[in-house]
Amino acid sequence: MKRAMDMVLALLALCALSPLLLGAALAIAFETGLPVLFRQTRVGLHGREFGMFKFRSMVKNAASIGPYFTTCNDPRITRVGRFIRRTSIDELPQLINVLNGDMSLVGPRPDVLEQRYLYTAADWAQRCSVRPGITGLAQALYRSESTKAQRLEADLRYTRERSLWLDLKICWWTLRRLRGKGAN
């Protein structure tokens, strides 16, 4: 049932948000050129790797000049990038990942493989037992202000307590946090 809801809601969101998606793409292209999408390998359900899409919010060679994570006032983030990150518009292309079956609307954010070291073998297996999401418990509670330990615990907590009710609460909490506080 969750997968069917993901598909329907992602398709509706893509249609409803298409003017916003087009505007973001044009703003990125105007400021820093093509490509407007960034694709990064992430780890999903059962440890399977997939290419996660985001609007490009950083300079084109950002991966070669810095770490996989961003910091406050990261010089690699463009002017348009700051806005689309603060408003989470940069995450909207992940609706395509939801349609492809790589992601869900709600679940732990997909990690890059380099983050595997943060987990014990059992915790990694637990984390990979659910499809990753566009938003998750860690984002709803902390946005980008969590410590690694807080994020890890929130992700594992989601895998233990997942339910439709928790997903609905996470969606509500996420919408309330979109005011920009804590976004890199």
Side-chain angles (χ1 to χ4, degrees):
M1 182 166 151
K2 179 174 176 157
R3 181 75 186 119
M5 284 180 50
D6 280 345
M7 296 284 292
V8 169
L9 292 174
L11 193 55
L12 289 172
L14 279 171
C15 291
L17 297 171
S18 59
L20 179 63
L21 296 168
L22 179 61
L26 290 173
I28 294 164
F30 182 73
E31 181 182 27
T32 57
L34 299 175
V36 297
L37 291 180
F38 171 71
R39 184 177 181 268
Q40 185 178 44
T41 301
R42 298 291 181 109
V43 179
L45 183 63
H46 307 304
R48 189 176 68 83
E49 294 180 17
F50 69 96
M52 185 183 80
F53 297 107
K54 291 181 86 167
F55 276 124
R56 186 171 54 79
S57 61
M58 302 175 90
V59 296
K60 290 181 187 178
N61 61 344
S64 64
I65 59 175
Y68 65 83
F69 56 87
T70 58
T71 58
C72 197
N73 299 318
D74 193 314
R76 300 173 296 165
I77 301 172
T78 65
R79 187 175 50 84
V80 169
R82 289 204 189 289
F83 175 76
I84 64 175
R85 282 172 169 261
R86 189 173 53 253
T87 57
S88 296
I89 293 169
D90 65 321
E91 308 287 349
L92 293 177
Q94 291 164 39
L95 292 166
I96 296 166
N97 291 114
V98 173
L99 291 176
N100 288 340
D102 295 321
M103 293 178 68
S104 179
L105 294 175
V106 179
R109 290 291 296 153
D111 280 335
V112 293
L113 198 53
E114 290 85 1
Q115 291 172 286
R116 165 65 182 92
Y117 79 92
L118 297 170
Y119 300 85
T120 66
D123 286 348
W124 182 253
Q126 181 179 340
R127 189 186 195 297
C128 292
S129 69
V130 299
R131 194 172 268 119
I134 294 176
T135 189
L137 188 57
Q139 291 67 41
L141 295 176
Y142 309 113
R143 186 95 191 229
S144 296
E145 296 175 327
S146 64
T147 65
K148 288 179 184 178
Q150 287 172 318
R151 181 180 169 273
L152 184 137
E153 178 49 40
D155 287 347
L156 294 176
R157 179 179 158 203
Y158 177 82
T159 65
R160 292 187 305 269
E161 300 175 10
R162 67 183 184 260
S163 67
L164 178 59
W165 180 241
L166 181 58
D167 283 4
L168 291 172
K169 289 195 300 189
I170 289 170
C171 288
W172 173 249
W173 295 335
T174 298
L175 289 173
R176 292 185 62 195
R177 290 198 62 88
L178 288 180
R179 287 176 263 161
K181 187 175 187 293
N184 283 336

